[in-house]
């Protein structure tokens, strides 16, 4: 059994409440940090842990914290990114729903480390049940003396607020999130300046993912070095993976980084193989924006080595034969799924979510969607495949924020690995129109939320 650090108590009845969470050892990291560690000590432990941001980019959390500017007399902010709108990703929602105090505890420890006295959890606007769960958890933590003035008599003050998001995927991009939090339209900002220098209200700000913040709890409890013992290379600790698509047991799993992808898919401890005894065709390993890989490349690298659930191993081979860990949204496609239809579906999403500030993204996503629609509906030509390739190349790297790349990569990878399917659609126009296409279901299979 793999070690669990975040979901250890997930099955304890009533763990959503403060009293049960506390009984299970909750809030020890706050006691420890505020009573016996300086903010710098906390940052140091997070650096030692090797924790990398769990929101998608995998940037080292301790390093990000150490970049935070500390001008005299200027407030600093910690903002938790709980916007989670990437298709296929539902792990933060799971954590917030079932163990909300793990996030609140992480927010207190992390805010203390950064010298923030006002912190925010920016939650995707559609997640009203989670917003209420978090608000209740904050009230409980405050009543217990873990929030507010002079926490545990340490002299440290912290107010924590939940902000419902603006209802757009782009509001998960950190600078768009800050704009939205300031009450404006969620348009990404041009960087630099980075949020560590000029973030919320122009003040130094750290934006971290829910899981990154929750991971600081075991790091402080057990020490950064202990945390770093789990995993391989620069992929330390555990990671939440939301597994969806055609898996026998879709759900949210906490894995030790370094687990072989094959074991994750086929072992009974995790996904239990492909549903209905079908064969695996392809996997999107880290949410809809990362390159799709065919079955032979997701379980083994091009060198024939076992592919592991690490940032490095998933990326092995670059975009020719590798992919990315991304946000941990693992979508499996069985042999009946149509790659063209899925690519069209993803692209439709990005076209809809483009904020429209930059032409390559605004025009390119719409153009790709139209071409994919034509191919999917039996109206494509062979030239369309090259056209698609050309459009995605012109979007990638030419936009203000990474949504442009996120829209380009799935199209590029689908053509790279499944060109024959695009050609089949073009050569079998009538059949393509009549066929009952497969579209893997990759929404949260556990979306039954109960507020206790
Ligand atoms: C279009 C877009 C959407 C994003 N959505 C999220 C999100 O929902 N949650 C998240 O944590 N990061 C998201 N990110 C990444 C954030 O910009 C940022 O890198 C992240 O919150 C940093 O946290 P971390 O260092 O803990 O990973 C998104 C990025 C882009 C470009
Ligand atoms: S890449 Fe797309 S979403 Fe990002 S700023 Fe440009 S237009 Fe907006």
């Amino acid at each position: 059994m793999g070690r669990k650090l975040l979901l250890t108590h997930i099955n304890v009845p009533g763990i959503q409440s403060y009293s049960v969470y506390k009984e299970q050892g909750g809030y020890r990291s706050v006691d420890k940090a505020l009573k016996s560690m300086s903010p710098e000590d906390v940052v140091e432990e997070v650096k030692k842990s090797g924790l990398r941001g769990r929101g998608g980019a995998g940037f080292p959390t301790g390093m990000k914290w150490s970049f935070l500017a500390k001008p005299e007399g200027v407030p600093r902010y910690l903002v938790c990114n709980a916007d989670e709108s990437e298709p296929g990703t539902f792990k933060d929602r799971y954590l917030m729903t079932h163990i909300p105090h793990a996030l609140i505890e992480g927010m207190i420890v992390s805010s203390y480390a950064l010298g923030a006295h006002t912190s925010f959890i920016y939650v995707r606007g559609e997640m009203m049940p989670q917003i209420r769960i978090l608000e209740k958890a904050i009230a409980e933590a405050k009543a217990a003396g873990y929030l507010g003035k002079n926490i545990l008599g340490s002299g440290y003050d912290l107010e924590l607020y939940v902000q419902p998001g603006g209802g757009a995927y782009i509001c998960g991009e950190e600078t768009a999130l800050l704009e939205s939090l300031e009450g404006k339209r969620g348009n990404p900002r041009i960087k630099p300046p980075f949020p560590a220098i000029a973030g919320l209200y122009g003040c130094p700000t750290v934006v971290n993912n829910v899981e990154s913040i929750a991971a600081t709890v075991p790091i402080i409890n057990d020490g950064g070095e202990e945390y770093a013992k789990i995993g391989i290379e620069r992929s330390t600790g555990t990671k939440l993976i939301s597994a969806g698509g055609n898996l026998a047991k879709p759900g949210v799993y906490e894995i030790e980084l370094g687990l072989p992808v094959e074991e994750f898919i086929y072992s009974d401890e995790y996904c239990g193989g492909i549903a209905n005894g079908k064969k695996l065709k392809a996997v999107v390993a880290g949410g809809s924006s990362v390159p799709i890989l065919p079955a032979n490349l997701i379980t083994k690298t091009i060198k024939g080595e076992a592919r592991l659930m690490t940032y490095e191993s998933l990326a092995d081979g670059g975009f020719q034969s590798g992919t990315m860990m991304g946000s941990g949204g693992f979508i499996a496609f069985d042999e009946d799924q149509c790659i063209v239809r899925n690519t069209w579906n993803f692209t439709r999403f990005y076209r809809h979510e483009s904020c429209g500030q930059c032409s390559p993204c605004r025009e390119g996503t719409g153009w790709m969607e139209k071409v994919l629609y034509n191919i999917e509906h039996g109206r494509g030509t062979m030239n369309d495949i090259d056209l698609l390739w050309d459009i995605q190349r012109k979007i990638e790297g030419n936009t203000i924020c990474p949504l442009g790349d996120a829209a380009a990569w799935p199209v590029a990878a689908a053509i790279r690995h499944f060109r024959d399917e695009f050609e089949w659609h073009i050569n079998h126009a009538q059949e393509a129109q009549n066929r009952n296409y497969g579209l893997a279901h990759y929404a949260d299979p556990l979306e039954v939320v109960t507020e206790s």
Side-chain angles (χ1 to χ4, degrees), residues 285-357:
S288 60
S289 42
V290 313
I292 191 167
L293 282 187
N296 63 318
L297 283 178
I298 190 66
T299 49
K300 297 246 181 320
T301 67
I302 200 96
K303 297 170 221 146
E305 291 163 359
R307 181 89 71 182
L308 308 177
M309 299 286 266
T310 63
Y311 293 91
E312 297 78 16
S313 181
L314 285 170
D316 189 276
F319 277 0
Q320 285 310 311
S321 62
T323 183
M324 292 157 83
M325 174 77 80
S327 55
F330 192 94
I331 310 169
F333 298 90
D334 74 20
E335 56 194 306
D336 293 341
Q337 307 309 313
C338 172
I339 300 300
V340 175
R341 189 172 175 81
N342 276 287
T343 310
W344 169 51
N345 194 42
F346 283 170
T347 305
R348 208 160 44 137
F349 171 78
Y350 289 113
R351 190 226 2 114
H352 185 262
E353 298 300 330
S354 166
C355 83
Q357 284 191 105

Side-chain angles (χ1 to χ4, degrees), residues 92-293:
D92 295 340
R93 177 166 38 171
Y94 185 75
L95 190 90
M96 291 187 290
T97 305
H98 299 287
I99 321 187
H101 284 282
L103 176 60
I104 309 299
E105 182 175 354
M107 283 299 288
I108 301 169
V109 168
S110 306
S111 301
Y112 174 69
L114 298 168
H117 297 286
T118 308
S119 296
F120 299 88
I121 308 176
Y122 182 95
V123 187
R124 178 175 171 178
E126 291 90 337
M127 295 194 208
M128 278 319 290
Q130 286 75 14
I131 290 170
R132 284 197 292 269
I133 289 169
L134 288 172
E135 280 174 343
K136 187 173 168 203
I138 288 173
E140 287 176 325
K142 196 163 189 178
Y146 280 104
L147 282 169
K149 293 252 172 256
N150 192 20
I151 299 170
L152 306 177
S154 65
Y156 175 63
D157 306 334
L158 176 65
E159 292 298 337
L160 182 53
Y161 298 97
V162 176
Q163 172 64 40
Y169 169 65
I170 194 58
C171 289
E173 192 282 330
E174 59 183 8
T175 59
L177 186 157
L178 295 175
E179 287 285 294
S180 174
L181 194 51
E182 289 178 8
K184 293 176 259 173
R185 184 189 158 115
N187 280 350
R189 298 174 181 168
I190 293 174
K191 294 191 262 189
F194 290 90
I197 308 297
L200 188 63
Y201 307 118
C203 301
T205 303
V206 164
V207 180
N208 269 138
N209 173 258
V210 170
E211 189 188 343
S212 317
I213 290 171
T216 61
V217 173
I219 290 171
I220 297 310
N221 281 338
D222 305 333
E225 276 170 19
E226 272 306 301
Y227 187 87
K229 284 182 190 161
I230 303 174
I232 299 178
E233 298 178 64
R234 289 177 52 242
S235 299
T236 60
T238 65
K239 171 94 192 77
L240 296 181
I241 306 287
S242 51
N246 307 117
L247 292 161
K249 294 195 296 165
V252 176
Y253 296 99
E254 182 170 9
I255 60 157
E256 288 188 20
L257 288 171
L259 179 78
V261 176
E262 195 157 19
E263 191 178 331
F264 180 65
I265 298 174
Y266 293 102
S267 83
D268 279 340
E269 187 180 346
Y270 301 105
C271 305
I274 306 306
N276 307 316
K278 301 263 181 194
K279 280 204 207 104
L280 179 67
K281 178 177 187 173
V283 166
V284 168
S288 60
S289 42
V290 313
I292 191 167
L293 282 187

